[in-house]
Amino acid sequence: MAFVDAPQDWLAADTPARPAKAAPMLPPVEQRPPRVSSQIAAAPPVAEDRSAWPEKFEDFAAWWLTEPTLAPKGARRFAPTGPHGAKLMVLVPMPAEDDGETLLSGRNGKLLDSMLGAMGLEPATVYRASALPARIALPDWAGLGMAGLGAVLKRHIALAAPERMLVFGRGDILTLLGHDSAQNAHHLRVLNHESGSIPAGFEYDLETLLAKPSWKAGVWQRWLDGMAGQAVSA
């Protein structure tokens, strides 16, 4: 190994550096506005003409099944079932994949029937409804709410006029109604609609409760707490 006292630049080139050539002038690039993807475009208005919305409970189901803007063309729709002024209105985001002739007639409905029996409610006294008339893949709940479907749901609740509500699929429903997604739905006790407000409980969707049976204990306890609170307020 060679050692010298004077520092040396080992990376210096043997030949003097040549001046860099000037970059060629390129024509200016035309500035175009960004394209808006059709997948994130705003949803078309839902039943935009509110003067055509049903004003009576008995007219709602027929309108729900036929209004073209409420569901994709050709999608199978399910009507709500149950009496006007029911003791309880059960609301789910949309029909289940295995629903048969009526809404909540599949596995989700069987779980619901068991829960209603434990609550001491006769099936005939319960009004069953969905926020969407047909099952669709990956609904954009916030977009549907801005398009007007949240207002349709509020009209539906006002016309049905139940004594109280039990909402399964709280995240979807509250997003549809314009609530903050970070809000703790377990602490909500009322749902506002066109005519005022109604006592309500907000729970996980029925598919989740089928997959996680241990969570049903929490649903039951919140139901008891809600009933106790209603009795105190009465």
Side-chain angles (χ1 to χ4, degrees):
M1 301 179 67
F3 295 90
V4 293
D5 294 331
Q8 300 182 38
D9 185 358
W10 294 98
L11 300 180
D14 295 335
T15 58
R18 297 179 180 179
K21 293 183 178 180
M25 296 297 292
L26 299 177
V29 178
E30 180 183 358
Q31 297 295 327
R32 298 182 180 180
R35 293 184 178 181
V36 178
S37 170
S38 60
Q39 294 181 348
I40 61 174
V46 173
E48 190 171 16
D49 182 10
R50 296 199 178 191
S51 65
W53 290 16
E55 299 287 345
K56 298 179 180 179
F57 172 74
E58 53 267 25
D59 298 331
F60 183 85
W63 179 80
W64 185 245
L65 295 175
T66 57
E67 167 56 43
T69 63
L70 294 178
K73 185 177 181 181
R76 185 187 178 193
R77 303 192 190 196
F78 290 80
T81 61
H84 177 262
K87 291 183 177 298
L88 178 69
M89 176 176 176
V90 171
L91 180 67
V92 296
M94 58 184 174
E97 191 172 1
D98 64 343
D99 278 346
E101 295 299 321
T102 59
L103 180 69
L104 289 169
S105 58
R107 293 178 66 240
N108 291 348
K110 292 179 180 178
L111 171 61
L112 176 62
D113 287 341
S114 298
M115 295 173 67
L116 295 176
M119 295 171 180
L121 294 169
E122 294 291 336
T125 66
V126 176
Y127 185 72
R128 306 174 188 224
S130 57
L132 291 175
R135 185 174 183 84
I136 62 176
L138 302 176
D140 175 11
W141 294 105
L144 290 170
M146 291 186 291
L149 192 64
V152 171
L153 176 56
K154 291 181 179 180
R155 171 65 61 89
H156 188 178
I157 297 169
L159 293 177
E163 295 180 12
R164 62 183 293 112
M165 289 188 63
L166 187 54
V167 177
F168 292 100
R170 58 187 189 177
D172 298 337
I173 302 298
L174 291 176
T175 300
L176 178 66
L177 295 175
H179 285 253
D180 184 359
S181 60
Q183 192 174 18
N184 189 343
H186 282 331
H187 296 314
L188 291 176
R189 289 291 180 263
V190 297
L191 191 151
N192 298 323
H193 56 80
E194 282 188 347
S195 308
S197 61
I198 180 174
F202 299 86
E203 297 297 343
Y204 302 104
D205 59 76
L206 290 167
E207 287 91 345
T208 298
L209 294 178
L210 279 171
K212 299 182 179 294
S214 61
W215 289 13
K216 290 188 288 185
V219 177
W220 176 248
Q221 187 58 54
R222 286 185 290 274
W223 168 262
L224 294 178
D225 293 343
M227 291 296 290
Q230 185 181 16
V232 170
S233 62

